[in-house]
């Protein structure tokens, strides 16, 4: 199986990009056509070095976009929209490129018959084990929409808590920074100016002053 990078246009004229696996370029092209996409570009990926893949492995998903995705997915499922249709619809609106590629891959897996929990488990950098386990439990009892909505609420509260902690830490960190700058300015520029004055006291200087002069 080879990997192909594609750029397609859907029936509404929106452009999408992604990566798919296929035995050949012809089969990859046919697969995209079967999904009612207009193929704009299709290119086989290189061997072992894939810069875009490397970048995606280093970057992290924007937490605000992730929370929005989870809440919107829960809302669509609660409204009776099928999982595949919900994923495809949300994928078009996602602005975070890493999450966008992941949702596209998840949609393909779901279309192939994979459960949603198994599909997201293939992306551990985005969906951690606790998230996957909670989703799997929701699937088992037929309450996936309610579980996702609850997860969205938890994620949003967690994000708000972290934001408040960061905001509360800004002032102390600013004060510490100012004190550090003041200390270095005093040590490097002010103290040396008094060196000749201190030298008049000979060995009568206190030990901390000697250390500071040194």
């Amino acid at each position: 199986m080879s990997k192909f990078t594609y750029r397609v246009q859907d029936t509404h004229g929106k452009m999408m990009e992604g990566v798919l696996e296929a035995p050949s370029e012809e089969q990859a092209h046919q697969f995209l056509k079967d999904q009612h996409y207009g193929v704009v570009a299709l290119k086989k990926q290189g061997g072992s070095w894939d810069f875009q893949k490397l970048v995606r492995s280093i970057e992290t998903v924007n937490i605000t976009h992730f929370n929005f995705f989870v809440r919107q997915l829960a809302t669509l499922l609660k409204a009776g929209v099928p999982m595949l249709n919900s994923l495809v619809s949300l994928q078009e609106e996602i602005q975070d490129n890493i999450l966008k590629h992941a949702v596209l891959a998840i949609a393909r897996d779901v279309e192939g018959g994979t459960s949603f929990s198994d599909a997201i488990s293939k992306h551990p950098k985005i969906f951690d084990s606790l998230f996957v386990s909670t989703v799997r439990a929701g699937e088992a009892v037929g309450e996936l929409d309610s579980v996702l909505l609850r997860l969205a609420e938890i994620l949003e509260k967690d994000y708000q808590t972290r934001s408040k902690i960061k905001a509360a830490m800004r002032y102390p960190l600013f004060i510490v920074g100012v004190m550090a700058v003041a200390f270095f300015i005093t040590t490097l520029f002010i103290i040396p100016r008094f060196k000749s004055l201190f030298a008049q006291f000979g060995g009568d200087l206190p030990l901390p002053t000697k250390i500071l002069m040194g």
Side-chain angles (χ1 to χ4, degrees), residues 52-171:
Q52 290 185 347
K53 184 178 180 181
L54 176 63
V55 171
R56 288 197 298 269
S57 68
I58 296 174
E59 295 177 335
T60 56
V61 171
N62 183 289
I63 186 64
T64 304
H65 293 167
F66 180 74
N67 292 356
F68 176 80
F69 163 73
V70 175
R71 177 171 286 280
Q72 289 298 103
L73 180 60
T75 302
L76 289 174
L77 293 177
K78 203 169 190 65
V81 181
M83 172 63 75
L84 182 58
N85 293 349
S86 299
L87 291 172
V88 172
S89 176
L90 291 175
Q91 188 269 338
E92 296 174 355
E93 300 178 5
I94 295 174
Q95 298 179 357
D96 187 286
N97 288 329
I98 302 174
L99 183 59
K100 191 180 188 73
H101 282 88
V103 172
L104 181 61
I106 292 168
R108 282 202 305 267
D109 289 338
V110 170
E111 185 177 21
T114 305
S115 67
F116 179 65
S117 58
D118 288 339
I120 64 175
S121 67
K122 298 179 181 180
H123 307 272
K125 292 185 178 180
I126 302 176
F127 305 91
D128 60 27
S129 57
L130 179 59
F131 189 99
V132 174
S133 299
T134 306
V135 168
R136 186 169 286 122
E139 288 178 333
V141 298
E143 296 289 340
L144 180 57
D145 54 348
S146 300
V147 168
L148 285 174
L149 188 60
R150 180 58 180 161
L151 283 171
E153 293 173 352
I154 293 173
L155 289 170
E156 288 169 2
K157 288 181 180 178
D158 180 65
Y159 174 72
Q160 292 173 0
T161 302
R162 292 186 183 185
S163 298
K164 290 179 181 178
I165 292 174
K166 288 180 180 179
M169 289 296 294
R170 286 173 187 167
Y171 182 71

Side-chain angles (χ1 to χ4, degrees), residues 27-67:
Q27 288 178 292
H29 193 278
Q30 186 60 46
F31 173 79
L32 294 171
K33 288 183 62 179
D34 291 342
Q35 304 303 311
H36 306 292
Y37 291 134
V39 181
V40 178
L42 182 64
K43 182 179 179 182
K44 185 177 180 180
Q45 288 189 347
S48 57
W49 182 259
D50 184 352
F51 180 74
Q52 290 185 347
K53 184 178 180 181
L54 176 63
V55 171
R56 288 197 298 269
S57 68
I58 296 174
E59 295 177 335
T60 56
V61 171
N62 183 289
I63 186 64
T64 304
H65 293 167
F66 180 74
N67 292 356

